[in-house]
Amino acid sequence: MENIEHKIIPVNGIKMHVAELGKGPLVLFVHGFPELWYSWRHQMVFLAAHGYRAVAPDMRGYGETTGAPLDDPSKFTVLHLVGDLILLLDAIAPGEEKVFVVGHDWGALVAWHLCLYRPDRVKALVNLSVAFYPRNPEVNPVEMFRGLYGDDHYICRFQEPGDIEAEFANIGVKEVVKNIFAFRTPGPFYFPKGKGFGYSLERAPWLTEEDLDYYVSTFEQTGFTGGVNYYRAFGLNWELNAPWSGAQVKVPAKFIVGEFDITYHVPGTKDHIHKGGFKKFVPLLQEVVVLEGAAHFINQERPDEINEHIYAFLKQF
């Protein structure tokens, strides 16, 4: 990607790799699993061309961001992840009190919490795929998914350190990345022990061979533990977020989800998004967009539409 600058910035006890393009108001892009700064390549080029400074880090545990203790999932809580971003903003934009934020998948969850903890730092938010849910005081999310889908559900399979990494190693990095990106089934994602994916998909048509090579070469170097640790800290997040039980996200927000996104088909999610629950906890939610025919990785699958949606929202502020 020509003209994109790459920097390593020490923040919060780690060395964070950041990709940056453009000049103007800062837009912070927060990626999910199993992604990298690279997932935002299309959005960075578009927004830089429209007068923004696009900044996309490799999140803690990913890519060229180093220094997080991979053998300790408790160092991958949402409080650590939000802390990384706040201190990154302090380092790269000391004069900007508030910035724009765009998140996808785990990045969306982190971005919601960034806005929950520090609304004073965010002008407006566009989140993709993962809606904001209030904390359920009765049950932590890992046990919720186990109750819904059983032990073979990917979130449950990701809990035991080393387990899924060994399985991914047997399958091979390329097959893992290719299959996850190509997954379009609205139902739950199961990963029965020893069975692998149970299928081998062709590369997603929106992912070029060059794109796939970038992801594969990176994850071959880093492994998947950093990203999987986010899931291993899921229950701990729930414990640590008790002080924010019932709290609202008070930042202007827009939410976009693909029609076939697995997150959109979790029981109760559509009602939550469309029947007032979501808006109750994100009172400044201005728009919900369901992208017809799109699956989970919408910023890469349908970049032109997502770019226009992001730009249309941000330019109001």
Side-chain angles (χ1 to χ4, degrees):
M1 306 291 290
E2 71 267 27
N3 303 330
I4 290 183
E5 281 184 70
H6 295 271
K7 302 171 184 170
I8 302 289
I9 297 170
V11 295
N12 206 19
I14 62 173
K15 290 192 167 75
M16 198 162 213
H17 167 240
V18 178
E20 184 176 323
L21 185 65
K23 297 275 188 289
L26 194 147
V27 184
L28 178 67
F29 290 97
V30 194
H31 72 76
F33 177 87
E35 299 180 278
L36 299 160
W37 75 268
Y38 190 81
S39 314
W40 298 110
R41 59 200 177 279
H42 306 296
Q43 287 71 41
M44 292 180 74
V45 169
F46 180 90
L47 283 171
H50 285 77
Y52 292 88
R53 179 187 178 194
V55 173
D58 281 336
M59 294 293 285
R60 174 180 289 244
Y62 280 94
E64 292 176 58
T65 291
T66 58
L70 297 181
D71 58 352
D72 185 357
S74 75
K75 295 292 192 283
F76 287 80
T77 71
V78 72
L79 288 153
H80 290 90
L81 302 168
V82 170
D84 294 344
L85 296 179
I86 291 290
L87 292 166
L88 175 66
L89 292 174
D90 287 348
I92 64 171
E96 274 188 85
E97 187 193 352
K98 294 188 174 195
V99 302
F100 295 113
V101 180
V102 180
H104 171 253
D105 183 74
W106 261 104
L109 188 138
V110 173
W112 288 124
H113 285 83
L114 171 61
C115 295
L116 184 67
Y117 304 153
R118 294 298 304 273
D120 59 306
R121 300 301 296 271
V122 184
K123 262 186 245 182
L125 169 70
V126 180
N127 257 344
L128 316 179
S129 296
V130 176
F132 181 77
Y133 280 89
R135 180 182 182 274
N136 178 346
E138 306 299 321
V139 62
N140 92 46
V142 177
E143 296 315 312
M144 183 200 81
F145 281 110
R146 201 183 301 279
L148 277 174
Y149 298 126
D151 292 338
D152 285 344
H153 187 256
Y154 75 101
I155 288 174
C156 303
R157 283 298 317 283
F158 282 7
Q159 294 303 310
E160 189 186 323
D163 181 32
I164 203 73
E165 290 93 329
E167 198 139 336
F168 282 171
N170 287 336
I171 297 166
V173 171
K174 186 168 189 176
E175 197 69 8
V176 170
V177 172
K178 191 183 73 169
N179 276 281
I180 291 176
F181 279 154
F183 190 80
R184 297 185 64 78
T185 309
F189 186 34
Y190 291 111
F191 212 91
K193 200 171 178 74
K195 300 265 173 56
F197 287 94
Y199 59 82
S200 178
L201 293 172
E202 291 302 308
R203 169 171 53 79
W206 45 263
L207 196 70
T208 67
E209 251 340 300
E210 184 188 4
D211 294 336
L212 183 59
D213 286 347
Y214 186 88
Y215 286 110
V216 171
S217 62
T218 304
F219 282 107
E220 278 176 347
Q221 288 173 341
T222 63
F224 291 100
T225 299
V228 174
N229 278 344
Y230 289 46
Y231 296 90
R232 293 178 182 145
F234 220 166
L236 183 54
N237 289 342
W238 176 77
E239 292 178 28
L240 295 172
N241 268 321
W244 290 274
S245 292
Q248 294 175 313
V249 172
K250 293 185 175 172
V251 165
K254 176 173 181 167
F255 178 69
I256 312 170
V257 67
E259 178 189 9
F260 301 129
D261 194 317
I262 56 171
T263 63
Y264 189 52
H265 292 268
V266 173
T269 297
K270 289 183 187 175
D271 280 356
H272 173 69
I273 289 172
H274 299 295
K275 293 188 176 173
F278 189 15
K279 177 84 172 168
K280 180 182 171 189
F281 285 94
V282 188
L284 302 179
L285 179 68
Q286 293 189 13
E287 195 180 353
V288 170
V289 178
V290 180
L291 218 54
E292 285 184 22
H296 180 66
F297 296 96
I298 44 176
N299 47 321
Q300 299 184 78
E301 181 186 346
R302 303 274 280 275
D304 296 345
E305 287 161 86
I306 294 298
N307 293 347
E308 293 292 352
H309 274 299
I310 293 170
Y311 179 56
F313 189 62
L314 299 191
K315 72 181 180 185
Q316 300 174 53
F317 298 94

